[in-house]
Structures are given as structure tokens and as C-alpha cells.
Amino acid sequence: MKDLTRYRNIGIFAHVDAGKTTTTERILKLTGKIHKIGEVHEGAATTDFMEQEQERGITIQSAATTCFWNDHQFNIIDTPGHVDFTIEVYRSLKVLDGGVGVFCASGGVEPQSETNWRYANDSKVARVVYINKLDRIGADFYRVVKQINDVLAAKPLVMVLPIGTENDFVGVVDLLTRKAWVWDDSGDPMNYEIKEVPASMKDDVEKYREMLIETAVEQDDELMEKYLEGEELSIDEIKRCIRKGTINLSFFPTYCGSSFKNKGVQLVLDAVVDYLPNPTEVKPQPEVDLEGNETGEFAIVDPTKPLRALAFKIMDDRFGALTFTRLYSGVLNKGDTILNTATGKTERISRLVEMHANDRQEIDSAQAGDIVAIVGMKNVQTGHTLCDPKAPATLEPMVFPEPVISISVTPTKKGTSEKMGIALGKMVQEDPSFRVETDSESGETIIKGMGELHLDIKVDILRRTHGVEVEVGKPQVAYRESVTKRVEDGYVHKKQSGGSGQYAKIDYIVEPGEPGSGFQFETKVTGGSVPREYWPAVQKGFASSIDKGVLAGFPCVDLKFTLVDGGFHPVDSSAIAFEIAAKAAYRQTLPKASPQLLEPIMKVDVFTPEDYMGDAIGDLNRRRGLIKSQETGPTGARIKADVPLSEMFGYIGDLRTMTSGRGQFSMEFSHYAPCPANVAETVIKETKEREAAAAK
């Protein structure tokens, strides 16, 4: 049996460009996994092995790797920072026990760091904070600590102080031991000396050390008394308190360094061992039934219990599909048969591998607490639970957001459409926030996703990885329709033609529902004027019609139908007659209920240097944005606004031009809101023209 207390499943997450991947590289070098360090900006990092990642210098997929430090096994997942891939972050956090949040010492807490932090809070993941890039111009450790406190409402527990900043940054002082770690300029992380604290920093070290101990002892009443009585606490006692507080999320041990210059990373690794939980210390995953209700059972981390595992990522490579799986309880052996609760099918495990970025080592078995990849699983998607067929259970079902943007893709070469279909099928398995549909009228293939960059990357993967050249249509926004007026109406459906006829009469009310309520149906029929057995048919007739609105054929939302009265014929009435009547009633009444077009509104968070703030606000106003807040910080201004998605195409290019390349933004879907009349007219006209062109 493996000793689970020596396991750490951790993720590294942060904003774009804070240095996550570089930090991961340093960790792999220190732990002896790689001998030569690859650089991101040279496109040679170990965990960024996709061509698209190497070119753009950003991480798209979460890569998994295993390494050892101080006799502890680390399973590390390097997660993307870019907003369009937050689903990757979310999915990874789900299966991690702890994380390292990386922040840039000059950029501080950036828009995306907030989103990622929020996700980590939702998943209750314990974290250590690492403030990177202290060698950069404008780096300020104390400012970022304050920002973490103010912006993220998290309590940073300062564990080290930097010695010098910007070009003069040479090392850090460890507050617990009161020792200075000083590195030379050779760039070798092992070339350091442990010295006494520089005289100029003594006062600061004592001040911060006191703060550190005071915060830590709050976790243990006995030690607190001891401390208040003036006894000196041993380092192990303090560490015990810090560990407890970190796992309870009371505070976050904070470190600093420069990954690129190889300074300070060792202490972070020690902190992972000392303070982050092992798989047995994390709250066990609740088990749910197939509807998603909790059963009161938990997947306890114990190899003797029945198998519970979660597939959290699918990756397709040259050897077939790889299913990354986190084992919560039980043991998984090569040759076992397991049950997938989502499909109800059993599968045999033919090969198990341990991953190191894109190298792999074959293993025969894995147990609770491990993260492994299974080769060649058939019908498994992200979020599926794999379990023991004799004792089935489901771990929490994953909910994925609805896509907000779509584009059409057509293969340029004849005869490659089948190849494209297979490639898209694989990509949907890998990324549940990516959808593929075929337009029933035009026969085009439509891909949908979370943003422009998301789809841009998908098209790129089609071209490179799967060798399918495609033409891309203009981006289409996922509009919706709704009604604004209450209308009472009735409809009679009669058909008499040899044999039995069809008859159905319904009286009903159509009215707007609450925002976000979707489709509601209610019956207030009394006295048996419409027999109870026909009610579902009326509901079905309405429910199947709302997919197509009357303005431009977009799905209709937030409306309520109430069936109030009607009539039937003892011979000629049937369920089908009532269903047809409801469909015709929908087409008859909706145009009378003042239908309107709704558009997706995005929550936009823009960061710009202060000099360009006016231009950025003016530009958001031009895009029909509603400014929610603006605040200025030492590095620039933050503007939060709600902007319609249709106005945000190509925004990144415009923002970069406007701010001389220094602006950044992130956006996520917020809600649907009514479209102004002039915009609605244009959208309806374009949609009708497109349909007419497709019909030819």
C-alpha cells in the first residue's frame, strides 16, 4: 500500500503571463524530472507541448505531470489562465487537493486571477500564494499582498520577505527560521547560500514574524495560551498551526521569488509539503444519485473501499484517447472491468499510464488519491464517474455553461467532410464547453463556444492536428426571443376528411415570465372541458414550438402559457389533435404579444494604463456598454462594464491599438437583455437574408 500522507495533488493557476508554466518548469528541474529547462517564450516548455501553445506562448490545455520532492509524490496540473479556457481550470480544480496561486509582482491581482480565485473558493481548494517576477520593473511585493487582501478578500499569511526588488532582487528571508536564502546570478537554482538576515531588514523581519505567529496560533487554543504567556513556540508547533489554518482556508501562506531567475522556488515546494493537504485530509467527495441529489454517502479516500473515480479530462493523441482520472476511493488494476454510471455501460481497462506532460510510464495499478490516465476508453466524457459495477455510485455531475458564440465551418476540399466530422467528435469529447451542430435548413456545420479565442483555437486544432482545412463563416451571436405583453387567445383545430376526424379547442393565456425562468406551462381548466389526458399534449405542442421564435427564428425564452379552457369531441379528439392545436396557437398568438429580441450581455473587465482610461471608457460606451465601476490602482485602471457580445468582436485588437499594447481584458457571459429596436431590425433583416440565401 502506498502511504497517502506523502501525496500532494496540486494545481498551478493564475492570470495569463503571471508565469505558471515557467514555475512548473522550475519545479520539474528542481525535482530532477527534466535536466534542461525549456522556456515559454522560446516555445520549448515541457508542459506546453501543443503547437498552438508554443506559438502563442499561452497554456490552453491543462497538462499533468508527476514528480518527487522530499520523498513526497506531487501530481501537478498546470492550468490555463486565459478566460476562454476557464472550463479547464474549473475542471482541474475539481480534482485537486491543493493549489499554488501565482501572481505577477508588477501586474498584481489581474482580472483573470479573480475568476480563478473564485473558482478555487467554490471548490474549497487550499492554496499557497506565490508572488512571481520580483525581478521585473515595477515589482512590489507588499503592494500585491495588500491587493490579495483587498481585491480577493483573502488573508495572505506572509512567510518570506524579499531581499531587494527589481534588478537588485537576490533572495528571500524565511520568517520562521529567520534565515536569508541568497542566490547568485548563475541561474542555477541550487547555487544559494543560507545567511544571516541583512541588518537593514531586522526590524521588518521581527514585525512580520510576530504577525505571522499571531495569525497562526489562532488555530490552536493551547498554543495560543502558551504564546500569550510569553513562551517561545517551536517551529514544528507553528507549522502545525499554519497547516491547520491553510487546510481550513483561514489564510494562505504567501511566498515570493522569480521563477525565471530560479530564485525562491524551493521554499514554495517545501510549503506544498508542509501546508497543503494530502488526499485523506480533504473533505471527501459526496456521492449523488443519477438525478444529481446527494445520497448522504461519501467517497472516502481508502484503498479498501469500492472504486470511485472521476474522469476530468479527455485528451486525444497519436496512441488513442487518454482519459485522465482521479481516484477517490478503491483500487484500479489493469484488466479490471468498471462501470460508467453516465452511460450505464461497463468497460475493461486495458492500459494504465502515469503522465509526465506528453511522456508516459506504464503502471499496473493505481489507488485512492492517484491521478492517472487510462488508455483507449470508449464512451467516456469529461465529468463521468467510473466505479465498481457491484457497488455503483455517481460523483457530482458537472454543469457546463451554455455557449454564446457560433461560427459555421465548411471543409475547403471535397471529400474531407467525414474526416472533419470525426475530428470534431473527438474535440467535443475533450472539451464539453465546445458544441457542434448541423443547421437543419442550410446543412452547414456550426461550432459553438465560449468566446472568439476559444473558437479560433478550435479551428487551428482542426487544421494542424487533424489536417482538415476549413473555411470559417462570420461569427454569429446566440440571440434569444421573448414576449412583453399578456395576451388571452383561443384556437380551434378541426379536420374532417373520411374516417375519423380531428378536433381540439383550446383557450389560453400567453404572458412574459421572470427573466431566466425559461418556459413555464400551467393549466387552470375546470369542469373537464379539456380532459386531463390531453394536457401533456398541449404542453408538448407549445414546448416543441419555442425552439423557433416568430421574429427571426431564435429560441424563445422566459414565457408562460396557461391553458384556461377549451373543448373536445368524444370521437374525434386525440392527443395529436391537441398537440397540433397548440403548435398553431403558438404561431397565431406570439406575434400579438409584442415579441422582442434578447441579446447576450457579457461581464467585461478591462485593465488599462491610466493615461488611456478615457479612451477605453469612450470605446466601451460606443459599444453600447454600461460602465459598472472604475477604479485606479498603482499599475493602471480597472473598468468593469456590461457590454453586448455582438459589439465585442475584435475587441482585443482595438484595445491593444488604443493602449499601445498594454491593455488586457477578460469577459464572461452575464445575462440576456432586450435589444434596442435599431439593432433588432438589423439582426432580423440579416437572419432572413441568410435564410433566403441558404434556401436557394
Side-chain angles (χ1 to χ4, degrees):
M1 291 292 181
K2 300 177 182 169
D3 179 4
L4 285 177
T5 58
R6 295 196 172 272
Y7 263 59
R8 296 288 182 273
N9 293 321
I10 58 168
I12 294 181
F13 55 93
H15 185 83
V16 181
D17 275 352
K20 300 180 291 300
T21 306
T22 309
T23 307
T24 310
E25 283 292 302
R26 302 308 187 259
I27 292 175
L28 296 179
K29 169 79 174 77
L30 280 167
T31 56
K33 264 286 178 180
I34 52 174
H35 297 296
K36 175 182 176 295
I37 289 179
E39 292 307 345
V40 175
H41 47 79
E42 291 164 12
T46 314
T47 52
D48 283 0
F49 50 85
M50 287 167 62
E51 289 175 25
Q52 295 80 350
E53 298 183 306
Q54 291 170 3
E55 269 181 23
R56 298 169 191 238
I58 61 173
T59 306
I60 297 168
Q61 287 188 326
S62 346
T65 177
T66 310
C67 58
F68 289 87
W69 179 256
N70 287 352
D71 297 336
H72 283 68
Q73 179 174 338
F74 288 8
N75 295 319
I76 301 178
I77 294 182
D78 176 23
T79 61
H82 204 287
V83 63
D84 286 6
F85 310 108
T86 40
I87 196 84
E88 284 272 348
V89 181
Y90 198 66
R91 208 193 283 173
S92 309
L93 283 169
K94 217 90 204 92
V95 298
L96 296 172
D97 304 328
V100 179
V102 183
F103 294 91
C104 167
S106 64
V109 176
E110 291 168 290
Q112 195 53 34
S113 338
E114 273 188 69
T115 313
N116 288 349
W117 196 265
R118 201 169 61 244
Y119 280 163
N121 285 342
D122 290 348
S123 302
K124 299 201 170 30
V125 175
R127 282 145 282 173
V128 170
V129 171
Y130 171 54
I131 298 173
N132 187 18
K133 302 194 177 181
L134 271 177
D135 56 323
R136 275 204 32 194
I137 293 173
D140 183 342
F141 172 73
Y142 300 98
R143 189 185 75 241
V144 181
V145 168
K146 188 170 170 330
Q147 268 186 328
I148 294 173
N149 201 12
D150 298 350
V151 177
L152 301 177
K155 195 167 188 178
L157 186 69
V158 176
M159 302 294 293
V160 300
L161 293 184
I163 308 174
T165 57
E166 301 183 2
N167 283 338
D168 305 330
F169 174 68
V170 290
V172 296
V173 173
D174 180 353
L175 293 178
L176 282 182
T177 56
R178 299 189 176 90
K179 292 282 186 243
W181 293 57
V182 180
W183 280 265
D184 62 11
D185 285 337
S186 64
D188 182 343
M190 299 320 282
N191 285 358
Y192 62 90
E193 288 176 62
I194 291 186
K195 302 181 175 174
E196 288 305 311
V197 174
S200 60
M201 289 180 66
K202 280 211 165 117
D203 295 349
D204 277 354
V205 167
E206 288 311 313
K207 181 176 119 191
Y208 274 92
R209 187 171 194 267
E210 201 163 305
M211 281 164 47
L212 161 86
I213 296 173
E214 277 173 10
T215 311
V217 294
E218 284 172 8
Q219 301 294 321
D220 187 317
D221 293 344
E222 274 180 42
L223 292 181
M224 189 161 184
E225 276 181 29
K226 213 166 140 182
Y227 174 70
L228 290 175
E229 282 166 11
E231 280 186 55
E232 184 71 25
L233 301 182
S234 72
I235 285 182
D236 284 344
E237 287 173 326
I238 302 170
K239 278 188 173 174
R240 201 166 72 233
C241 292
I242 299 175
R243 182 176 184 91
K244 187 174 166 192
T246 309
I247 295 174
N248 295 338
L249 307 187
S250 309
F251 45 71
F252 303 92
T254 301
Y255 291 81
C256 63
S258 157
S259 298
F260 184 55
K261 297 276 175 66
N262 279 313
K263 295 173 183 174
V265 181
Q266 287 99 318
L267 290 118
V268 179
L269 291 181
D270 289 341
V272 167
V273 168
D274 288 342
Y275 308 127
L276 288 184
N278 63 48
T280 59
E281 292 172 306
V282 182
K283 262 185 105 168
Q285 274 285 35
E287 293 178 10
V288 294
D289 56 16
L290 290 173
E291 277 76 56
N293 305 314
E294 291 194 10
T295 57
E297 298 286 313
F298 288 90
I300 294 168
V301 180
D302 181 350
T304 58
K305 295 265 191 284
L307 174 70
R308 305 277 182 263
L310 188 70
F312 67 97
K313 179 176 168 64
I314 311 266
M315 214 168 94
D316 206 76
D317 69 354
R318 54 190 192 278
F319 301 112
L322 276 179
T323 308
F324 282 86
T325 308
R326 159 79 199 258
L327 273 69
Y328 284 105
S329 73
V331 179
L332 185 61
N333 299 309
K334 217 161 102 176
D336 281 359
T337 299
I338 56 164
L339 169 72
N340 176 351
T341 53
T343 58
K345 295 191 172 109
T346 55
E347 283 194 58
R348 195 168 164 274
I349 302 258
S350 53
R351 290 171 61 204
L352 280 175
V353 290
E354 205 165 71
M355 298 297 292
H356 171 59
N358 61 346
D359 290 340
R360 56 199 65 194
Q361 283 132 12
E362 294 264 345
I363 52 176
D364 291 329
S365 81
Q367 66 162 48
D370 272 331
I371 294 182
V372 292
I374 309 172
V375 183
M377 299 280 281
K378 290 285 181 302
N379 304 317
V380 179
Q381 282 188 323
T382 299
H384 284 181
T385 304
L386 311 173
C387 62
D388 187 336
K390 296 189 202 64
T394 307
L395 299 163
E396 148 171 21
M398 293 199 173
V399 183
F400 294 108
E402 283 297 306
V404 287
I405 174 172
S406 58
I407 52 176
S408 63
V409 288
T410 336
T412 45
K413 293 191 186 109
K414 286 230 161 55
T416 53
S417 49
E418 192 177 326
K419 190 174 172 191
M420 176 174 93
I422 296 170
L424 286 171
K426 285 182 176 168
M427 284 156 66
V428 168
Q429 267 198 324
E430 290 175 18
D431 178 358
S433 60
F434 173 66
R435 313 271 169 89
V436 178
E437 287 172 14
T438 307
D439 188 313
S440 52
E441 283 161 14
S442 63
E444 288 180 312
T445 304
I446 311 281
I447 59 174
K448 302 182 165 185
M450 300 317 295
E452 244 179 320
L453 180 71
H454 191 193
L455 294 184
D456 194 26
I457 299 267
K458 294 295 177 202
V459 169
D460 205 34
I461 294 176
L462 264 181
R463 284 192 184 126
R464 299 233 194 123
T465 316
H466 301 283
V468 180
E469 284 293 331
V470 288
E471 258 180 46
V472 177
K474 206 169 128 203
Q476 300 300 327
V477 176
Y479 289 100
R480 295 283 183 269
E481 294 180 21
S482 189
V483 297
T484 54
K485 210 159 92 193
R486 181 176 187 268
V487 176
E488 291 185 33
D489 208 349
Y491 186 83
V492 181
H493 169 68
K494 274 206 286 233
K495 193 169 163 207
Q496 233 41 63
S497 60
S500 68
Q502 289 181 352
Y503 180 84
K505 174 174 185 284
I506 52 174
D507 294 327
Y508 52 89
I509 302 168
V510 173
E511 56 192 325
E514 290 291 311
S517 61
F519 163 71
Q520 292 163 303
F521 179 81
E522 191 179 347
T523 47
K524 290 186 178 163
V525 176
T526 49
S529 53
V530 177
R532 190 178 282 270
E533 68 254 34
Y534 299 141
W535 295 356
V538 177
Q539 181 170 0
K540 188 177 166 193
F542 280 131
S544 61
S545 307
I546 61 170
D547 290 345
K548 256 189 138 41
V550 290
L551 289 172
F554 293 109
C556 205
V557 294
D558 304 339
L559 74 169
K560 183 174 175 185
F561 292 98
T562 311
L563 181 64
V564 283
D565 204 6
F568 74 109
H569 185 284
V571 179
D572 292 350
S573 285
S574 63
I576 204 88
F578 275 96
E579 192 178 325
I580 295 170
K583 285 183 175 171
Y586 172 86
R587 288 196 294 278
Q588 167 186 300
T589 309
L590 239 61
K592 301 177 189 170
S594 311
Q596 63 173 3
L597 203 61
L598 304 175
E599 57 184 349
I601 306 288
M602 307 302 276
K603 210 157 59 199
V604 180
D605 188 344
V606 181
F607 174 82
T608 157
E610 215 165 320
D611 309 352
Y612 306 107
M613 184 167 161
D615 296 351
I617 291 177
D619 180 64
L620 287 170
N621 286 331
R622 258 199 314 282
R623 295 174 188 268
R624 304 197 282 119
L626 183 69
I627 308 289
K628 288 291 206 26
S629 70
Q630 51 195 59
E631 52 192 77
T632 50
T635 52
R638 287 279 296 278
I639 307 161
K640 292 188 176 180
D642 285 350
V643 191
L645 172 68
S646 56
E647 303 285 342
M648 289 299 290
F649 292 132
Y651 180 60
I652 185 71
D654 295 354
L655 180 67
R656 294 240 166 100
T657 318
M658 205 166 19
T659 59
S660 325
R662 287 161 63 197
Q664 289 178 337
F665 84 107
S666 75
M667 70 175 182
E668 55 187 334
F669 171 71
S670 167
H671 60 280
Y672 274 97
C675 254
N678 58 337
V679 176
E681 272 169 33
T682 320
V683 170
I684 296 167
K685 186 169 154 230
E686 280 179 3
T687 313
K688 293 210 164 130
E689 282 171 1
R690 230 183 8 261
E691 281 174 0
K696 278 179 190 163

